[in-house]
């Protein structure tokens, strides 16, 4: 069964620091990913998606994708306390692209 | 309006009793999803509709039913609730298979 693995489970960074989150799919046919952010008590909202090998930057957020290794990473520079949330990585299912498989997430805590 | 609505927000049910959860969206999205989320676990896809076609996951096939009377509404039905059904149930919709999913606020189901 396809899995999406995220690491670390929990991450603490100081305000202004860099947070790096990782995600890997077990399915070799996956070639794009989504990153969602879920603040406490709220529903998940998409943060970024990446469909091409390489890097995509939006403000303080940068996503990398390496299709060969089925790995994506999310980097948050100048982390703010408001970035504290659960970050979920998601990938399409190998046999039905309408299905989306989520990882367990990384809990990010940014300390002021 | 990118709102996905869910009713009720909280539901208390007795073991063995039926449960019906409702989701609606006005974005004219073709695809609507239901996920089950338990603490420290990844959101688990239960089923999804693409237009009028229902796709149910093999491991939850007999536990959950759904209907989609029109494009805007989708229900999740549990015929006989068990203690293991206690969880947050998230509804989401998307425009197509590569677009982001918009999540509702969730229904927290507690089975006693």
């Amino acid at each position: 069964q396809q899995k999406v693995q995220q690491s670390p489970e929990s991450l603490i960074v100081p305000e202004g620091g860099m947070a790096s989150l990782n995600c890997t799919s077990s399915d070799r046919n996956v070639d794009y990913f989504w990153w969602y952010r879920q603040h406490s008590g709220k529903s998940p909202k998409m943060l970024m998606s990446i469909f091409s090998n390489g890097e995509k930057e939006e403000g303080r957020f940068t996503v990398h994708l390496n299709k060969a290794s089925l790995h994506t990473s999310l980097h948050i520079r100048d982390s703010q306390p408001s970035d504290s949330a659960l970050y979920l990585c998601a990938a399409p299912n190998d046999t039905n692209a309408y299905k989306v498989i989520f990882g367990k997430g990384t809990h990010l805590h940014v300390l002021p | 309006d990118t709102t996905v609505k869910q009713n009720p927000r909280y539901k208390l049910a007795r073991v063995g009793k039926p449960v019906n959860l409702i989701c609606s969206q006005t974005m004219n999205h073709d695809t609507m999803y239901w996920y089950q989320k338990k603490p420290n676990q990844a959101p688990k896809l239960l089923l999804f509709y693409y237009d009028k076609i229902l796709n149910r996951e093999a491991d939850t096939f007999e536990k959950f039913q759904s209907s989609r009377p029109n494009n805007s509404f989708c229900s999740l039905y549990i015929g006989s609730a068990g203690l293991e059904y206690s969880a947050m149930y998230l509804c989401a919709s998307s425009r197509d298979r590569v677009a982001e999913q918009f999540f509702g606020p969730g229904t927290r189901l507690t089975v006693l």
Side-chain angles (χ1 to χ4, degrees), chain A residues 1 32 34 36 38 41-46 49 51 86 88 92 96-104 107, chain B residues 9 31 33 35 37 40-45 48 50 55 57 59 90 96-101 103-106:
Chain A
Q1 190 174 5
Y32 57 91
W34 300 271
Y36 284 78
Q38 185 176 17
K42 303 291 187 181
S43 54
K45 288 192 191 312
M46 196 188 76
S49 59
F51 296 88
L86 176 67
L88 296 163
N96 185 335
Y98 281 94
K99 289 174 57 171
V100 175
I101 309 299
F102 281 85
K104 290 174 65 173
H107 287 273
Chain B
R9 294 292 308 277
T31 311
Y33 302 83
Y35 293 89
K37 178 75 168 73
N40 299 316
Q41 293 184 19
K44 178 180 170 56
L45 180 65
F48 68 95
Y50 172 66
N55 295 261
E57 291 297 281
D59 60 345
L90 294 167
D96 57 52
R97 64 181 177 86
V98 298
E100 71 175 289
Q101 293 190 20
F103 283 84

Side-chain angles (χ1 to χ4, degrees), chain A residues 67-81:
Chain A
K67 292 187 180 183
S69 62
L70 308 170
H71 178 260
T72 180
S73 57
L74 172 66
H75 306 271
I76 308 172
R77 62 177 172 80
D78 189 25
S79 296
Q80 302 298 308

